[in-house]
């Protein structure tokens, strides 16, 4: 761990990843305020997540292509743009304008992720690459985990207008990222261009399996993170309970990400992904069937298992598309993000019909289907 953290550029990228992902972590705590202000249903408030995460998702392949061609010099600007647009959300007076700002903020997130992933790939050594990428991804996961706590603090102090305070960390970190990575901006793309001279045909079926598993995992993770605060609010719990519970859910995924990265270097990425899928089934059942204080334990299981394999699938895609690593990063993360974003209003509509508990429990079916898809993931030697 110390060897990776001594790398100043990797640490800078981790800081940027933490900051940009903390904004999406704030959204679930913002939902109850938006429901009260705009008189929204669960399905309608899910459109805010769809606007933010959907734009972040569909724009990532485009930014991945641009990164392959022009480099990653605008990573810091993408972060600053996210901060500026997100900070205005609490001041809008109409729902359409709220959605427009969510779209604009998601665009900055969509630019940051493939650019950052391409930079990190160039910084990591070939040995223990799963572990190294997992550390970087964990920084973003910790950012999502801290988002609810940040939201509780700023909204508790200033109400919905507390989004204005969120401008500060994004601008400061974005500026530091621009300065610190100024020499690295063109070298990451050079490695990708050199790989293009020995480009091989992309195994489409294997790539489709990678993307399919990423989409499923993202759907489950986004839904549980988005609706856990709202579900517990319906059950009569206050923000002092569901805020830490949402944070526990995401922090567990941070620990799981590093752990799964280390295990993948020893046992293989495909094996670890299949194992986490199987174990997710009892974790979801425990979380949904037994709400209450003991949900902290089952939330740890869900977070550890459901969100921890994202860097492994990112590396799989980069391996399958070595000559277009930026595009591979954008495809896997982008399609994963958009599925998670679409899944939130879908599960919101299901919850409006049958309740949030059964809506969350339905993800057991999705996980079972995903196990069949994961069987076709490429092995390490492939």
């Amino acid at each position: 761990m110390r060897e990776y953290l001594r790398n100043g550029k990797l640490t800078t990228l981790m800081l940027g990843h933490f900051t940009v992902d903390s904004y999406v972590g704030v959204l679930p705590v913002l939902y109850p305020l938006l429901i009260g202000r705009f008189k929204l249903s669960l399905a309608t408030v899910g459109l805010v997540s769809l606007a933010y995460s959907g734009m972040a998702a569909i724009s990532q392949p485009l930014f991945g292509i641009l990164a392959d061609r022009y480099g990653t010099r605008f990573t810091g600007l993408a972060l600053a743009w996210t901060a500026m647009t997100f900070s205005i959300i609490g001041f809008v007076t109409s729902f359409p304008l709220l959605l427009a700002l969510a779209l604009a903020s998601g665009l900055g997130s969509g630019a940051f992720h493939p650019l950052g992933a391409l930079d990190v790939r160039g910084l990591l050594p070939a040995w223990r690459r799963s572990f190294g990428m997992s550390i970087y991804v964990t920084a973003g996961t910790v950012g999502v985990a801290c988002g609810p706590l940040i939201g509780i603090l700023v909204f508790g102090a200033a109400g919905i207008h507390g989004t204005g305070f969120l401008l500060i960390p994004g601008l400061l970190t974005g500026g530091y990222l621009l300065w610190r990575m100024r020499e690295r901006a063109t070298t990451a793309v050079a490695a990708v261009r050199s790989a293009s001279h020995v480009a091989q045909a992309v195994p489409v079926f294997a790539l489709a399996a990678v993307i399919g598993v990423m989409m499923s995992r993202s759907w489950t993770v986004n839904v549980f993170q988005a609706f856990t605060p709202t579900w517990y609010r319906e059950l009569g719990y206050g923000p002092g309970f569901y805020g830490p519970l949402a944070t526990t859910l995401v922090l567990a995924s941070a620990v799981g990400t590093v752990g799964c990265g280390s295990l993948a270097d020893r046992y293989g990425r495909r094996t670890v992904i299949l194992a986490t899928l199987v174990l997710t089934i009892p974790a979801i059942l425990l979380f949904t069937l037994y709400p209450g204080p003991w949900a902290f334990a089952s939330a740890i299981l869900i977070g550890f298992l459901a969100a921890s394999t994202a860097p492994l699938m990112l590396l799989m895609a980069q391996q399958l598309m070595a000559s277009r690593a930026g595009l591979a990063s954008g495809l896997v993360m982008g399609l994963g993000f958009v599925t998670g974003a679409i899944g939130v209003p879908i599960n919101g509509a299901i919850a409006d019909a049958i309740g949030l508990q059964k809506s969350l429990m339905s993800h057991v079916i999705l996980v079972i289907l995903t196990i069949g898809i994961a069987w076709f993931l490429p092995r390490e030697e492939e």
Side-chain angles (χ1 to χ4, degrees):
M1 177 74 77
R2 287 193 299 270
E3 178 181 347
Y4 288 107
L5 295 181
R6 286 195 194 103
N7 189 320
K9 291 183 173 62
L10 179 58
T11 305
T12 301
L13 287 165
M14 289 171 62
L15 177 62
H17 200 192
F18 170 90
T19 306
V20 76
D21 279 3
S22 67
Y23 291 101
V24 74
V26 170
L27 277 177
V29 181
L30 186 59
Y31 286 165
L33 299 177
L34 295 176
I35 290 173
R37 181 168 188 174
F38 295 102
K39 311 300 181 186
L40 306 177
S41 68
L42 290 174
T44 306
V45 77
L47 292 176
V48 179
S49 176
L50 176 60
Y52 182 94
S53 300
M55 177 56 74
I58 63 176
S59 63
Q60 283 195 42
L62 172 61
F63 285 113
I65 293 172
L66 294 175
D68 285 332
R69 177 169 296 185
Y70 300 110
T72 57
R73 59 180 62 88
F74 300 120
T75 310
L77 290 178
L79 174 55
W81 173 262
T82 297
M84 287 186 292
T85 50
F86 196 98
S87 66
I88 306 173
I89 285 178
F91 298 89
V92 298
T93 56
S94 69
F95 186 68
L97 185 56
L98 172 66
L99 290 180
L101 282 170
L103 286 168
S105 189
L107 185 66
S109 178
F112 180 91
H113 282 88
L115 300 181
L118 186 58
D119 259 337
V120 170
R121 182 178 185 269
L123 290 171
L124 294 173
W127 66 281
R128 301 215 70 190
R129 180 161 283 174
S130 296
F131 182 58
M133 183 64 80
S134 296
I135 292 175
Y136 167 72
V137 171
T138 297
T141 305
V142 174
V144 178
C146 291
L149 295 181
I150 295 171
I152 288 173
L153 290 174
V154 297
F155 300 144
I160 198 170
H161 293 159
T163 57
F165 291 108
L166 301 178
L167 173 66
I168 300 171
L171 285 182
L172 292 179
T173 306
Y176 179 67
L177 190 60
L178 280 172
W179 174 78
R180 190 69 176 84
M181 299 299 295
R182 62 191 184 282
E183 296 177 357
R184 180 68 197 170
T186 57
T187 56
V189 69
V192 176
R193 285 178 175 172
S194 65
S196 65
H197 297 300
V198 291
Q200 299 175 346
V202 176
V204 177
F205 194 75
L207 182 62
V210 173
I211 293 174
V213 174
M214 185 68 168
M215 291 167 68
S216 171
R217 298 275 76 187
S218 179
W219 187 346
T220 297
V221 170
N222 278 29
V223 165
F224 275 83
Q225 290 176 358
F227 285 126
T228 289
T230 304
W231 181 32
Y232 273 86
R233 188 184 185 210
E234 288 182 353
L235 293 175
Y237 292 87
F241 182 91
Y242 59 69
L245 180 60
T247 298
T248 298
L249 185 67
V250 186
L251 280 178
S253 68
V255 176
T257 298
V258 176
C260 286
S262 183
L263 289 172
D265 283 325
R266 172 174 290 190
Y267 299 109
R269 296 167 193 150
R270 179 178 178 273
T271 300
V272 171
I273 291 170
L274 281 167
T276 58
L277 279 165
V278 171
L279 293 173
T280 299
I281 295 173
I284 291 175
L285 291 175
L286 287 171
F287 185 82
T288 54
L289 290 175
Y290 302 100
W294 41 86
F296 281 89
S298 52
I300 290 173
L301 290 176
I302 290 180
F304 190 95
L305 296 168
S308 58
T309 54
L312 307 185
M313 290 177 284
L314 175 58
L315 286 171
M316 277 186 174
Q318 291 179 343
Q319 170 191 336
L320 294 171
M321 298 179 65
S323 62
R324 304 298 300 276
L327 176 58
S329 302
L331 281 174
V332 170
M333 293 188 295
L335 291 175
F337 277 24
V338 76
T339 305
I342 293 173
V344 172
I346 289 176
N347 274 95
I350 295 173
D352 286 333
I354 63 176
L356 268 171
Q357 183 182 35
K358 292 180 180 178
S359 178
L360 294 174
M361 194 184 301
S362 67
H363 276 260
V364 168
I365 300 172
L366 179 63
V367 173
I368 292 173
L369 295 174
T370 307
I371 292 172
I373 298 174
W375 194 257
F376 299 98
L377 290 173
R379 299 182 185 272
E380 213 74 11
E381 63 270 15
E382 295 174 335

